[in-house]
Amino acid sequence: MFVHVALQAARVADPDAKLYINDYNIEGTGAKSTAMTDPVKSLKSSRVPIDGIGVQDHLIIDEVPTTTQTNLEQFAALGVEAAITELDIRMTLPETAALREQQQKDYQTVIAACKAVTSCVGVTI
């Protein structure tokens, strides 16, 4: 109920603001990501304003989910935007050239997944 009231009040306060639900550990398909779709469906069916889902990607080198693009497509199918709001890919120290190279590839993979989904509006690093 609180989310409904907050989103409705936010829309009244600023009709042009983009209203998002933002969470972590929803970067790939899985139980938590699927659980995010239920409240969005409910909000939309109740005509509560919701414009998008923010995905916090706090990742580890060489552990980027292979289902990132599929997940973003599932969010798009709800009729909302998606945005990767916090992309960071950490590495074990000490830093090496191989780790930096893998980190670069991982960033490219996540950004490419967003670019491949029309409703993915951006990535914040």
Side-chain angles (χ1 to χ4, degrees):
M1 180 70 173
F2 170 77
V3 173
H4 289 74
V5 172
L7 289 169
Q8 290 167 334
R11 180 66 74 202
V12 170
D14 185 350
D16 297 324
K18 292 287 187 169
L19 304 178
Y20 274 63
I21 291 180
N22 191 49
D23 205 355
Y24 66 96
N25 285 342
I26 60 169
E27 59 273 351
T29 57
K32 188 169 181 187
S33 178
T34 299
M36 176 58 81
T37 63
D38 293 336
V40 172
K41 287 178 187 176
S42 175
L43 291 167
K44 290 182 72 64
S45 71
S46 299
R47 298 187 175 267
V48 174
I50 181 73
D51 299 308
I53 298 173
V55 181
Q56 299 175 27
D57 277 9
H58 304 295
L59 306 174
I60 299 169
I61 282 184
D62 210 22
E63 294 184 22
V64 172
T66 58
T67 58
T68 298
Q69 182 176 331
T70 300
N71 194 51
L72 294 170
E73 290 167 346
Q74 290 174 350
F75 292 155
L78 300 172
V80 296
E81 296 175 347
I84 298 172
T85 59
E86 301 175 36
L87 176 58
D88 54 82
I89 304 174
R90 67 185 180 273
M91 70 175 71
T92 304
L93 297 176
E95 178 181 331
T96 65
L99 286 171
R100 284 193 308 273
E101 183 178 328
Q102 184 60 51
Q103 186 182 49
Q104 179 181 353
K105 288 177 185 176
D106 290 346
Y107 273 108
Q108 290 169 338
T109 297
V110 174
I111 292 167
C114 179
K115 289 175 70 174
V117 178
T118 305
S119 69
C120 187
V121 297
V123 178
T124 302
I125 297 176

